[in-house]
Amino acid sequence: MGVAGRPLARQHCFRHSVPITIFLLLLLYLSARILGECPLPSAAPRRNSVVQALLLRCSMIRLSSGALLGCGSWAQACIPEGPPPFQGMLGRMMRPFRASLNPAGDVELSQYLAGWRELVKLLTPLGSIFTFATSEASTKVTALEARLRGPDAEHYTSLAAMVAWERRAGLLRRPGAVPRDSARPSGSRTLLLLHRALRWSQLCLHRVATGALGGPDAGAQCSDAYRTALAPHHPWLIRHAARLAFLAFPGRGRLLELSCPGTTEAEARTALAQAAGTLEDVYNRTQGMLAELGLLQLA
């Protein structure tokens, strides 16, 4: 290879090494999380559980990403059916999120979680950083859904009802106090973590939709959104993994194409901006309630 070809070769190797580095860092992070949060009585079962949990997460990511192949509904994600909301993925996401905002000023948990399920489907094919974030979100959504179907389901109809009951039951940590069940995170804490992830998703989609030509690229804008919404709550390892992931972030045009295939750039921008607006409404309602209830520092 000539001298002129060496920089290109190094650049090629770097671009291919980024996903591998991200995968290894995230694998290490998930191993630490599982070992730290799911203690088991003996060493051998713990190792087996770690392997099973990691394989389960990898399978979930593969299945979610594979949904992009040959799916008819994805191609309809941004085709309007009269006035917005849109049919397809964006419409299926926006409708339950909007329905979660009840007239009494509360947040209906079943609709909120249904909206999150659709948001995961929308974000997963957009890149490795979204895949990691959405796999974590799916775990939290599943944990909350189990409470909605569990023996205490009557207390998990809305955000206000959940917080009131968990406070009475001693499941919420107060400053200097230990919750009664320290091995089981409260539903309120799980929702707070989802709430922060929703803010990052909303900021990123909004900036992809509204970014000006010649301005910061989508990777820089979504990285800045990450530093605003999530980085203050993450350990160094995950912050470093996210920084590497944003180096391989798709360009704005590619993200718009993936989000709204078969539409013009202007139509895709409009669709994503409206979806981001819906997420912002849900975030603002939830943020106000969590602040009023004194739960923003629960996790």
Side-chain angles (χ1 to χ4, degrees):
M1 179 181 296
V3 174
R6 290 174 186 169
L8 292 176
R10 286 196 295 268
Q11 183 180 11
H12 179 78
C13 292
F14 171 76
R15 289 180 62 85
H16 284 272
S17 67
V18 167
I20 297 173
T21 304
I22 294 168
F23 174 77
L24 292 175
L25 284 170
L26 295 183
L27 189 64
L28 178 61
Y29 171 72
L30 292 175
S31 299
R33 283 283 301 275
I34 294 165
L35 285 171
E37 294 184 3
C38 305
L40 294 172
S42 65
R46 173 180 293 193
R47 286 194 297 270
N48 292 336
S49 295
V50 169
V51 172
Q52 292 171 3
L54 290 173
L55 288 174
L56 177 61
R57 290 192 182 214
C58 291
S59 299
M60 178 171 62
I61 291 171
R62 285 197 300 271
L63 288 171
S64 299
S65 301
L68 182 61
L69 301 176
C71 63
S73 61
W74 181 263
Q76 302 295 320
C78 296
I79 298 176
E81 47 176 26
F86 300 91
Q87 66 180 15
M89 283 196 173
L90 282 180
R92 288 197 297 272
M93 178 196 73
M94 293 163 70
R95 282 189 287 271
F97 269 128
R98 285 175 175 170
S100 73
L101 303 177
N102 71 22
D106 204 348
V107 177
E108 300 293 334
L109 291 182
S110 62
Q111 295 290 347
Y112 180 85
L113 297 176
W116 251 112
R117 284 291 183 196
E118 296 302 326
L119 179 58
V120 166
K121 294 177 186 177
L122 175 69
L123 295 180
T124 297
L126 300 186
S128 59
I129 187 67
F130 286 111
T131 300
F132 172 67
T134 53
S135 66
E136 286 291 292
S138 293
T139 301
K140 294 173 177 61
V141 169
T142 299
L144 275 176
E145 286 175 336
R147 293 174 182 268
L148 268 63
R149 297 189 297 267
D152 301 314
E154 63 183 296
H155 304 295
Y156 287 88
T157 57
S158 72
L159 173 56
M162 173 179 69
V163 172
W165 183 78
E166 290 191 338
R167 186 161 274 155
R168 291 195 305 270
L171 297 176
L172 300 185
R173 291 180 294 181
R174 297 182 297 276
V178 177
R180 292 179 186 175
D181 187 358
S182 58
R184 184 189 183 201
S186 67
S188 301
R189 181 181 184 277
T190 302
L191 186 133
L192 174 60
L193 298 175
L194 278 175
H195 172 67
R196 291 170 180 167
L198 187 72
R199 179 57 166 171
W200 174 59
S201 301
Q202 179 266 320
L203 286 173
C204 189
L205 291 182
H206 174 75
R207 293 176 186 186
V208 169
T210 61
L213 293 175
D217 62 25
Q221 289 187 311
C222 288
S223 179
D224 181 66
Y226 171 79
R227 287 193 295 270
T228 298
L230 289 176
H233 311 288
H234 283 171
W236 175 88
L237 179 60
I238 193 61
R239 292 198 306 270
H240 187 64
R243 185 177 65 83
L244 290 174
F246 284 117
L247 294 177
F249 205 71
R252 189 184 315 279
R254 180 59 176 159
L255 284 173
L256 289 170
E257 180 184 349
L258 287 170
S259 301
C260 298
T263 64
T264 66
E265 179 177 328
E267 290 170 336
R269 282 176 177 265
T270 298
L272 277 187
Q274 292 192 17
T278 296
L279 297 185
E280 185 174 23
D281 291 340
V282 175
Y283 173 83
N284 287 340
R285 169 78 65 86
T286 308
Q287 176 78 0
M289 292 187 66
L290 291 173
E292 183 178 346
L293 295 166
L295 298 179
L296 290 177
Q297 302 304 318
L298 190 61

